[in-house]
């Protein structure tokens, strides 16, 4: 799994002119992509890492300050741009694999104590955020850096 974690002052997701998820206070916006070879263990490891990352104000983690987390599925994180001008999405898992793993990531965060808001899997979403810093971290469970 690949995620982009951004420290935000606020964030929201709109689908068809309806706000389906929002963070009304500072927290983390997580864009999450699932690959073909990802599994529940990837989701659990990511949840632990996201919840404990010390990227909030005064080097605190979301777990330290009970910061909310907004998770948005983002299959484009697995784009390949090696050839030509059109990205290939062949590395991204389809909905039958991706949706349950995005939900597992959310569930694991909740088990750790997080308040989790969710985008809508497979929908055309308008994601708005007020980035703080900006602080943005990428994490790939197949290449921990």
């Amino acid at each position: 799994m690949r995620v982009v974690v951004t420290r935000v002052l606020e964030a929201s997701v709109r689908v068809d002119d309806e706000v389906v998820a929002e963070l009304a206070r500072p927290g983390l916006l997580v864009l999450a992509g699932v690959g073909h070879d990802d599994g529940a263990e990837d989701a659990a490891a990511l949840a632990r890492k996201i919840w404990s990352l010390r990227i909030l104000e005064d080097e605190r983690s979301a777990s330290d300050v009970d910061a909310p987390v907004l998770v948005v599925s983002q299959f484009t994180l697995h784009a390949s741009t090696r050839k030509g001008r059109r990205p290939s999405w062949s590395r991204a898992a389809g909905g039958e694999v991706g949706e349950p793993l995005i939900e597992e990531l959310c569930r694991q965060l909740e088990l750790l104590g997080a308040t989790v808001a969710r985008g809508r899997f497979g929908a055309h979403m308008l994601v708005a955020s007020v980035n703080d810093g900006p602080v943005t971290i990428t994490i790939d469970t197949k290449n921990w850096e």
Side-chain angles (χ1 to χ4, degrees), residues 26-94:
L28 300 175
L29 170 62
V30 177
L31 305 177
V34 178
H36 293 288
D37 57 348
D38 293 326
E41 64 282 352
D42 295 288
L46 271 176
R48 289 189 302 272
K49 180 62 77 175
I50 291 165
W51 191 233
S52 65
L53 275 175
R54 292 173 37 178
I55 61 172
L56 296 176
E57 189 174 344
D58 297 326
E59 293 189 17
R60 292 184 287 179
S61 68
S63 66
D64 292 335
V65 297
D66 194 30
V69 180
L70 172 55
V71 176
V72 177
S73 61
Q74 184 83 39
F75 77 92
T76 60
L77 291 176
H78 283 281
S80 174
T81 58
R82 289 183 150 201
K83 296 181 186 177
R85 299 179 314 169
R86 182 180 302 158
S88 168
W89 315 117
S90 63
R91 293 180 182 169

Side-chain angles (χ1 to χ4, degrees), residues 4-13 21-31 55-57 62 65 67-72 117 127-137:
V4 176
V5 181
T6 303
R7 182 174 79 186
V8 297
L9 295 177
E10 59 187 56
S12 65
V13 175
E22 67 181 328
L23 300 183
R25 61 187 177 94
L28 300 175
L29 170 62
V30 177
L31 305 177
I55 61 172
L56 296 176
E57 189 174 344
V65 297
V69 180
L70 172 55
V71 176
V72 177
V127 180
S129 65
V130 177
N131 296 355
D132 183 15
V135 174
T136 302
I137 307 292

Side-chain angles (χ1 to χ4, degrees), residues 108-122:
Q108 289 293 328
L109 282 162
E110 289 170 336
L111 287 172
L112 293 168
T115 299
V116 179
R118 295 158 169 80
R120 190 171 294 163
F121 190 92

